Amino acid sequence: MGLSRYLKIFRLLPVKVLRLALLIVVHSFMGAVLAQSPPPSIQGVLLDADTLQVISQGTVSIISNDLEPTSAEPDVNGVFRFRAIPEGVYQLLVESPGYQPSASSEIRVLPGRTAIVNFDLNLTTLTETVVVTPGFNTGTTSQPVTITTYDREEIRRAPGSAGDVLRAVDSLPGVSTTGEFASFSVRGRGPRDNLILVDGIPFDKVVHFDQSIGEQEDLDGGGRFSIFAPNLIQNITFQPGGFAAGFGGKNGSLLELEVAEGNPVTPSFSGRLDLAGWEFNYDGPSYVSKNTSILFSARAQDFGRLFDLIGQRSIGTPSLEDVILKTSTSINSSHRINLLGIFAPERYVRTIDNVVESDNFENTFLARTAQDSGLFGLNWRWLTGPSSVWTNTFFYRGSDKRSIQGDSYPDLIDNPVEEKTSIPMRPEILNSYEGEREVGWRSDFRVVTANANRISAGARITDVRLDYDFRLDADWTRFVFDSNDFRSDPETKYIVLR
């Protein structure tokens, strides 16, 4: 019960940690570092949702109660711009001949920044249309009705998410969660039955502190923190069932996470430094290649210092780091390449110093856990013709996790606090190792025929290698029966793990 009990306490702390970190701030900064400070603006591209070809005809209008009616038209490259607009929150409405009208969610326009809003428009077969401004979670007629989508603003607004993308999923239809974990369950399945794609790449190591040793409810529950800092995910697409053959292999649900691309127009830096750790973000042009943008995020959090401050030292020392880099390069009008790198290590340590801090020494377990997870992917999009697109994704993902659990016996010492070095211990009772490697290639081809029918084909080749090792150093008494406990054999006094 020791490890699971303490992680039950730890999993309830994210909101408290966030609030305390905000209240006791050593230093924080947010701002933009610009060579020049242009007035706020909005810019985007109109694309055909199926062929990804640019749309050069149409009208883009700003929907706002505080601004006079304003509209813009795309150029030959499908690019539209609204220059020198006041800071505020807006919506855009797009109308283009032969396409369904589309409206964005709310867009925040900040000083000195160019907000990037791209539209993927769907063909319409209607000769007469009625424009209805959609609300949140609006899909398209070409998608199954079970699909739900969130963009950046909707993720930020999701109840109880605090900007965490996986906690935002908790509010989606068909999702079951207790609120204690960042993971989720669908249709009675566990968190590990969900297929999670990050920019089209299968990657299930998207949460921190996912247990390998402990009580069954904790093993099934999943992790507690997303590896993605707030605002790193541009869109999420969730489907609780009925997904296509190309997304097979799991029984729960399909969750697609699209990492945001860097702003190609204006750069911005942001950072945070508090008792829990630090965070640094860059979003903007690369200044190496004219057509390349970069999104970079790095953060480190060590909760040990914070637990010392709030009198919860007995929990131990959990720490994590996340480094995410994405570059987007437009080679020409037909070719586009995205590179994605993720590195997300984590550590958890509980020593005899933490044991003696627990109330009445009721939690005597010792633990050391270390996990290093990473992903590298290359996505190449080729517009092979006016009505076809071919996408190839090459990726490597890996994870190494070592979990060690032991026990201590402070009740055998008269004064454990003063004589903690003399407390008997079994530091490595359980020792587990989990290693995963996957190298893969995914290819998808899509074409739209003259009568607007969609034909899709694809292939996937992967090489997966797994290495699991679980060892018990000696017999371990896991439970002592009370005189009133039910037992199939009255002579049974202990449950021993051998």
Side-chain angles (χ1 to χ4, degrees):
M1 291 293 292
L3 180 59
S4 62
R5 174 184 174 87
Y6 266 83
L7 286 178
K8 286 176 184 176
I9 298 174
F10 176 51
R11 69 192 178 202
L12 297 176
L13 287 174
V15 175
K16 295 181 180 179
V17 168
L18 179 61
R19 290 175 179 171
L20 186 60
L22 291 175
L23 288 173
I24 313 176
V25 174
V26 178
H27 176 68
S28 65
F29 65 93
M30 290 287 292
V33 179
L34 306 172
Q36 296 179 349
S37 296
S41 61
I42 299 176
Q43 178 176 315
V45 180
L46 305 186
L47 298 174
D48 185 294
D50 293 311
T51 66
L52 301 183
Q53 297 286 340
V54 298
I55 300 172
S56 58
Q57 296 182 343
T59 302
V60 184
S61 304
I62 292 181
I63 304 174
S64 174
N65 295 328
D66 302 324
L67 192 67
E68 293 294 327
T70 305
S71 62
E73 295 182 355
D75 59 20
V76 294
N77 297 315
V79 178
F80 66 89
R81 296 180 178 86
F82 293 95
R83 293 186 173 89
I85 63 174
E87 176 186 356
V89 179
Y90 304 96
Q91 278 188 292
L92 299 183
L93 174 65
V94 177
E95 298 174 279
S96 180
Y99 291 90
Q100 300 173 25
S102 178
S104 69
S105 62
E106 292 185 345
I107 305 163
R108 294 181 179 272
V109 178
L110 303 176
R113 295 292 308 276
T114 297
I116 304 298
V117 186
N118 298 325
F119 287 88
D120 295 336
L121 303 183
N122 291 273
L123 289 170
T124 181
T125 57
L126 299 178
T127 58
E128 182 178 354
T129 61
V130 177
V131 178
V132 178
T133 302
F136 286 166
N137 314 328
T138 301
T140 69
T141 57
S142 62
Q143 295 177 335
V145 295
T146 56
I147 288 184
T148 305
T149 61
Y150 271 176
D151 62 17
R152 259 179 172 174
E153 186 65 19
E154 292 162 347
I155 294 171
R156 189 186 67 83
R157 288 185 168 194
S161 68
D164 189 305
V165 60
L166 292 182
R167 291 190 178 273
V169 175
D170 294 351
S171 61
L172 295 177
V175 174
S176 173
T177 178
T178 63
E180 299 174 348
F181 299 95
S183 298
F184 60 93
S185 301
V186 180
R187 298 188 300 159
R189 302 289 181 175
R192 292 174 176 82
D193 291 317
N194 302 310
L195 176 60
I196 300 177
L197 302 179
V198 181
D199 279 7
I201 301 172
F203 189 61
D204 59 353
K205 306 300 181 183
V206 294
V207 290
H208 284 294
F209 305 113
D210 185 1
Q211 286 180 241
S212 298
I213 299 177
E215 301 299 323
Q216 189 64 40
E217 63 174 309
D218 298 290
L219 298 178
D220 294 339
R224 288 154 179 82
F225 296 92
S226 163
I227 66 172
F228 301 105
N231 289 323
L232 280 189
I233 298 299
Q234 179 68 39
N235 292 292
I236 65 175
T237 302
F238 174 75
Q239 193 170 356
F243 26 88
F247 303 110
K250 295 289 186 178
N251 296 322
S253 67
L254 170 64
L255 177 64
E256 298 179 83
L257 306 177
E258 180 187 347
V259 179
E261 296 184 359
N263 191 313
V265 181
T266 55
S268 66
F269 300 86
S270 66
R272 174 184 57 83
L273 178 64
D274 57 33
L275 292 177
W278 58 267
E279 180 179 332
F280 173 79
N281 302 289
Y282 172 76
D283 177 8
S286 68
Y287 295 108
V288 176
S289 173
K290 179 180 178 181
N291 297 323
T292 299
S293 63
I294 291 179
L295 178 75
F296 175 77
S297 175
R299 65 176 178 175
Q301 294 181 322
D302 185 343
F303 296 100
R305 296 187 297 268
L306 196 57
F307 291 163
D308 288 347
L309 181 65
I310 63 178
Q312 296 290 339
R313 190 182 179 193
S314 59
I315 293 177
T317 306
S319 61
L320 61 89
E321 295 85 36
D322 296 309
V323 180
I324 298 175
L325 172 67
K326 182 174 181 179
T327 67
S328 303
T329 303
S330 293
I331 299 177
N332 53 42
S333 60
S334 298
H335 296 273
R336 184 176 180 84
I337 290 179
N338 291 335
L339 296 176
L340 175 65
I342 297 176
F343 180 57
E346 65 182 52
R347 304 290 183 267
Y348 174 68
V349 178
R350 190 171 193 266
T351 66
I352 196 65
D353 292 327
N354 305 114
V355 171
V356 298
E357 295 289 335
S358 62
D359 295 336
N360 300 320
F361 310 114
E362 61 181 16
N363 289 281
T364 60
F365 78 95
L366 308 171
R368 297 197 312 274
T369 300
Q371 176 170 301
D372 295 320
S373 300
L375 167 70
F376 176 78
L378 181 150
N379 177 272
W380 170 34
R381 190 195 71 191
W382 178 15
L383 304 183
T384 56
S387 59
S388 60
V389 57
W390 186 20
T391 303
N392 288 277
T393 302
F394 306 87
F395 66 90
Y396 166 82
R397 67 176 183 89
S399 175
D400 290 289
K401 184 174 184 178
R402 174 73 68 180
S403 300
I404 298 174
Q405 182 173 343
D407 207 349
S408 60
Y409 308 93
D411 54 323
L412 301 180
I413 301 295
D414 293 334
N415 192 347
V417 176
E418 299 296 332
E419 303 177 26
K420 58 186 177 183
T421 57
S422 301
I423 296 177
M425 295 182 290
R426 291 177 61 186
E428 297 188 9
I429 299 175
L430 292 177
N431 194 321
S432 72
Y433 171 77
E434 304 170 51
E436 298 182 25
R437 300 288 185 275
E438 182 177 5
V439 178
W441 166 59
R442 183 184 183 114
S443 182
D444 296 282
F445 181 78
R446 185 171 67 246
V447 62
V448 179
T449 63
N451 55 358
N453 291 324
R454 301 171 182 85
I455 300 176
S456 300
R460 180 180 175 186
I461 299 176
T462 61
D463 177 31
V464 181
R465 304 194 178 189
L466 306 177
D467 183 10
Y468 288 93
D469 184 36
F470 193 91
R471 300 182 183 183
L472 177 67
D473 71 339
D475 292 352
W476 189 19
T477 301
R478 297 294 292 134
F479 187 78
V480 179
F481 285 100
D482 196 347
S483 58
N484 297 323
D485 290 335
F486 171 78
R487 315 166 250 189
S488 58
D489 182 358
E491 298 300 321
T492 302
K493 298 181 180 180
Y494 311 98
I495 295 179
V496 180
L497 184 64
R498 299 183 184 277

